[in-house]
Every structure is written in C-alpha cells, then in structure tokens.
Amino acid sequence: DEFEHLHASWLVSVGKMPYRDFFEHHNPLLWYLSAPIVSLFYDNVIIFYVMRAISTLASLATIWYMYKTILFFGSKLCGWLAIALYLGNIITAYNFYQFRPDVFMNLCFMVGVYYCFCYLQDKKTTALIYSFLAFTLSVLFLQKISLLLMAVQVIILWQLIRKQMTIKAAVVASVPVLLVMCAFVAFLVWQGALLQYVELNYRFNQAMIYYFERGSFWYQHLWFGIYGAALVAAIVLYKKENEISNTNHSNNSFSFY
C-alpha cells in the first residue's frame, strides 16, 4: 500500500487526476497533501522514510488525543491502559509507521472525538465545528471510516434528544462540513472524474468484498485472544475506580483540557 500511495501522490504532483487519469479506489486527500513533499524527493529513496516519519508523528498524535479523550471520563491509569490496548493490537502495530491513509484517518477521527467531548463539557460551538470538520477530513482520507461515523451520528442524535447538544450548535457546525463536501464534489465534476470516483470508490470496493477474502490472518492470529482480556480488564478497572471515588474522577476528568 505504501508504494501505491507514494506513486499516487507523485502522479498528483505532476498534474494527473485520480480516477480519471489513473486507477485508485481510495479518497484522495492524502495524495494532495503529500504531493508537494513527494515532488521534492521523487527521485530519491529517502522519500520512503520521510513519509514514514510523518506517518509515525500522526500515529503519536492519535495516541495523544486518545489519552486526552480518556481523561474526560477516566483517570490517567485508564488513559495509559487504553493506549496499551490500542498499541497491543497487531493491526495498529503493523500500520503505526506506514505511509497509508488509515493512519491519518485515525488521527482525524480521534481529533473529532476529542473536540466533541470538549463541546459537551463547555458547550462552545467552536469545539463542535472542529469536531465535525475533523470527522469530515477522516472520510476524505479514507471512506471506510463512514461505517464508524454512522454510530457517531446516532450518538449525536441522542445528545440532541437529551438536550446535551443544541440544534443551533449542530446546524452551525454542519455548515463548514457541507461546504467542504460540496467543494469536493464540485472539484470532481470540474475535473470530469465524478462518475469514475463513484465507480471505483464504491462499486469496485463493494465487489472486492465478494471476490476477495481479507483479514483472515489478523482475525485468526493467536494474540487476538489477549485483546478481549485487556478490554475486560479495562472495564473492571474503570468500574473499581468509580466505586473508590466518583468525586476524584469528576475533579480529574477534564484536567488536560
């Protein structure tokens, strides 16, 4: 995948249009952001390590936002346990430093989750705007996050019903999202690539599910048995901490915001 995305970034840097001029079945944000860097080192093998370094920084930022998010409702110990669980996953470890859109998709999603909690704490519409925009960018890096964002939308709807989120704030935060997505669609239409985009990013990817078996190694791997045990440990530990001192939790939950 890394060579694929490096090559796509280089093609974008020389003026080629994804979907129309070359085959791709991912969303294009990574290639357009990476194109200026790739163009500087396109004839040097060092570009491989430069982009891996950037991906590693993005993965570290993802962990940082995960830790800060945990502190909204748990202790520092819970935050470190969540990080250990995250890093203990073989897929996370495998993708941690690789130049691929998954890394940046994860970062944007965690930024969105963090700022959503920021809004629920302080009711600042700006935080909700950041949250919605980060979720949108995560999709533009890789469309498969859309499945998880469906669950986020249900949670947001539940917050609106419970009046923990105002309709006005949700509407205001949705306006930049609509502008970004409209600009993306308009760009595809302007470049004459909209139909190819739909064909390759949705119809082709759906066909892959039926014709290729994916992930059998990961989900049959022996170490996956540990992840469930770690999750149970996290739940039990969190429950015990709440029983010990709910007051301390309420005082420490937002100390890093």
Side-chain angles (χ1 to χ4, degrees), residues 136-147:
T136 304
L137 293 177
S138 70
V139 175
L140 292 178
F141 275 115
L142 198 58
Q143 61 269 36
K144 66 183 179 183
I145 196 65
S146 301
L147 297 174

PDB file of all heavy atoms in Angstrom, residues 136-147:
ATOM      1  N   THR A 136     -15.079  14.920   9.041  1.00  0.00           N
ATOM      2  CA  THR A 136     -15.164  15.034   7.582  1.00  0.00           C
ATOM      3  C   THR A 136     -13.822  14.741   6.925  1.00  0.00           C
ATOM      4  O   THR A 136     -13.744  14.020   5.924  1.00  0.00           O
ATOM      5  CB  THR A 136     -15.638  16.443   7.188  1.00  0.00           C
ATOM      6  OG1 THR A 136     -16.882  16.721   7.833  1.00  0.00           O
ATOM      7  CG2 THR A 136     -15.819  16.558   5.682  1.00  0.00           C
ATOM      8  N   LEU A 137     -12.752  15.287   7.498  1.00  0.00           N
ATOM      9  CA  LEU A 137     -11.417  15.032   6.946  1.00  0.00           C
ATOM     10  C   LEU A 137     -11.053  13.553   7.037  1.00  0.00           C
ATOM     11  O   LEU A 137     -10.371  13.015   6.153  1.00  0.00           O
ATOM     12  CB  LEU A 137     -10.374  15.879   7.672  1.00  0.00           C
ATOM     13  CG  LEU A 137     -10.465  17.392   7.450  1.00  0.00           C
ATOM     14  CD1 LEU A 137      -9.418  18.110   8.279  1.00  0.00           C
ATOM     15  CD2 LEU A 137     -10.311  17.735   5.971  1.00  0.00           C
ATOM     16  N   SER A 138     -11.514  12.892   8.106  1.00  0.00           N
ATOM     17  CA  SER A 138     -11.223  11.460   8.234  1.00  0.00           C
ATOM     18  C   SER A 138     -11.829  10.681   7.073  1.00  0.00           C
ATOM     19  O   SER A 138     -11.215   9.730   6.567  1.00  0.00           O
ATOM     20  CB  SER A 138     -11.736  10.923   9.578  1.00  0.00           C
ATOM     21  OG  SER A 138     -13.149  10.874   9.618  1.00  0.00           O
ATOM     22  N   VAL A 139     -13.016  11.093   6.623  1.00  0.00           N
ATOM     23  CA  VAL A 139     -13.647  10.438   5.474  1.00  0.00           C
ATOM     24  C   VAL A 139     -12.875  10.731   4.192  1.00  0.00           C
ATOM     25  O   VAL A 139     -12.706   9.848   3.342  1.00  0.00           O
ATOM     26  CB  VAL A 139     -15.108  10.898   5.326  1.00  0.00           C
ATOM     27  CG1 VAL A 139     -15.736  10.320   4.061  1.00  0.00           C
ATOM     28  CG2 VAL A 139     -15.928  10.479   6.535  1.00  0.00           C
ATOM     29  N   LEU A 140     -12.398  11.957   4.061  1.00  0.00           N
ATOM     30  CA  LEU A 140     -11.675  12.322   2.847  1.00  0.00           C
ATOM     31  C   LEU A 140     -10.309  11.646   2.770  1.00  0.00           C
ATOM     32  O   LEU A 140      -9.728  11.551   1.698  1.00  0.00           O
ATOM     33  CB  LEU A 140     -11.524  13.846   2.771  1.00  0.00           C
ATOM     34  CG  LEU A 140     -12.835  14.610   2.558  1.00  0.00           C
ATOM     35  CD1 LEU A 140     -12.589  16.116   2.536  1.00  0.00           C
ATOM     36  CD2 LEU A 140     -13.534  14.172   1.275  1.00  0.00           C
ATOM     37  N   PHE A 141      -9.794  11.193   3.906  1.00  0.00           N
ATOM     38  CA  PHE A 141      -8.586  10.367   3.880  1.00  0.00           C
ATOM     39  C   PHE A 141      -8.927   8.938   3.480  1.00  0.00           C
ATOM     40  O   PHE A 141      -8.217   8.331   2.681  1.00  0.00           O
ATOM     41  CB  PHE A 141      -7.901  10.377   5.240  1.00  0.00           C
ATOM     42  CG  PHE A 141      -6.972  11.536   5.462  1.00  0.00           C
ATOM     43  CD1 PHE A 141      -7.246  12.477   6.432  1.00  0.00           C
ATOM     44  CD2 PHE A 141      -5.832  11.682   4.689  1.00  0.00           C
ATOM     45  CE1 PHE A 141      -6.388  13.556   6.640  1.00  0.00           C
ATOM     46  CE2 PHE A 141      -4.965  12.748   4.888  1.00  0.00           C
ATOM     47  CZ  PHE A 141      -5.253  13.689   5.860  1.00  0.00           C
ATOM     48  N   LEU A 142     -10.002   8.391   4.056  1.00  0.00           N
ATOM     49  CA  LEU A 142     -10.369   7.005   3.759  1.00  0.00           C
ATOM     50  C   LEU A 142     -11.851   6.809   4.062  1.00  0.00           C
ATOM     51  O   LEU A 142     -12.296   7.041   5.188  1.00  0.00           O
ATOM     52  CB  LEU A 142      -9.516   6.043   4.583  1.00  0.00           C
ATOM     53  CG  LEU A 142      -9.459   4.600   4.101  1.00  0.00           C
ATOM     54  CD1 LEU A 142      -8.928   4.525   2.664  1.00  0.00           C
ATOM     55  CD2 LEU A 142      -8.573   3.762   5.009  1.00  0.00           C
ATOM     56  N   GLN A 143     -12.584   6.346   3.069  1.00  0.00           N
ATOM     57  CA  GLN A 143     -14.036   6.311   3.179  1.00  0.00           C
ATOM     58  C   GLN A 143     -14.560   5.233   4.122  1.00  0.00           C
ATOM     59  O   GLN A 143     -15.710   5.298   4.553  1.00  0.00           O
ATOM     60  CB  GLN A 143     -14.676   6.148   1.798  1.00  0.00           C
ATOM     61  CG  GLN A 143     -14.303   4.873   1.062  1.00  0.00           C
ATOM     62  CD  GLN A 143     -13.092   5.056   0.184  1.00  0.00           C
ATOM     63  OE1 GLN A 143     -12.172   5.786   0.523  1.00  0.00           O
ATOM     64  NE2 GLN A 143     -13.066   4.367  -0.963  1.00  0.00           N
ATOM     65  N   LYS A 144     -13.753   4.260   4.481  1.00  0.00           N
ATOM     66  CA  LYS A 144     -14.268   3.177   5.318  1.00  0.00           C
ATOM     67  C   LYS A 144     -14.607   3.637   6.734  1.00  0.00           C
ATOM     68  O   LYS A 144     -15.331   2.944   7.453  1.00  0.00           O
ATOM     69  CB  LYS A 144     -13.288   2.008   5.373  1.00  0.00           C
ATOM     70  CG  LYS A 144     -11.972   2.282   6.055  1.00  0.00           C
ATOM     71  CD  LYS A 144     -11.080   1.047   5.976  1.00  0.00           C
ATOM     72  CE  LYS A 144      -9.721   1.250   6.618  1.00  0.00           C
ATOM     73  NZ  LYS A 144      -8.843   0.072   6.465  1.00  0.00           N
ATOM     74  N   ILE A 145     -14.119   4.810   7.137  1.00  0.00           N
ATOM     75  CA  ILE A 145     -14.478   5.342   8.448  1.00  0.00           C
ATOM     76  C   ILE A 145     -15.951   5.729   8.494  1.00  0.00           C
ATOM     77  O   ILE A 145     -16.512   5.926   9.580  1.00  0.00           O
ATOM     78  CB  ILE A 145     -13.592   6.575   8.781  1.00  0.00           C
ATOM     79  CG1 ILE A 145     -13.656   6.913  10.270  1.00  0.00           C
ATOM     80  CG2 ILE A 145     -14.022   7.771   7.944  1.00  0.00           C
ATOM     81  CD1 ILE A 145     -13.080   5.876  11.181  1.00  0.00           C
ATOM     82  N   SER A 146     -16.599   5.804   7.331  1.00  0.00           N
ATOM     83  CA  SER A 146     -18.018   6.171   7.279  1.00  0.00           C
ATOM     84  C   SER A 146     -18.877   5.230   8.103  1.00  0.00           C
ATOM     85  O   SER A 146     -19.884   5.644   8.690  1.00  0.00           O
ATOM     86  CB  SER A 146     -18.505   6.195   5.824  1.00  0.00           C
ATOM     87  OG  SER A 146     -17.765   7.109   5.055  1.00  0.00           O
ATOM     88  N   LEU A 147     -18.499   3.956   8.159  1.00  0.00           N
ATOM     89  CA  LEU A 147     -19.276   2.991   8.943  1.00  0.00           C
ATOM     90  C   LEU A 147     -19.254   3.364  10.422  1.00  0.00           C
ATOM     91  O   LEU A 147     -20.285   3.295  11.104  1.00  0.00           O
ATOM     92  CB  LEU A 147     -18.710   1.584   8.731  1.00  0.00           C
ATOM     93  CG  LEU A 147     -18.783   1.041   7.303  1.00  0.00           C
ATOM     94  CD1 LEU A 147     -18.062  -0.302   7.207  1.00  0.00           C
ATOM     95  CD2 LEU A 147     -20.232   0.900   6.867  1.00  0.00           C
TER      96      LEU A 147
END
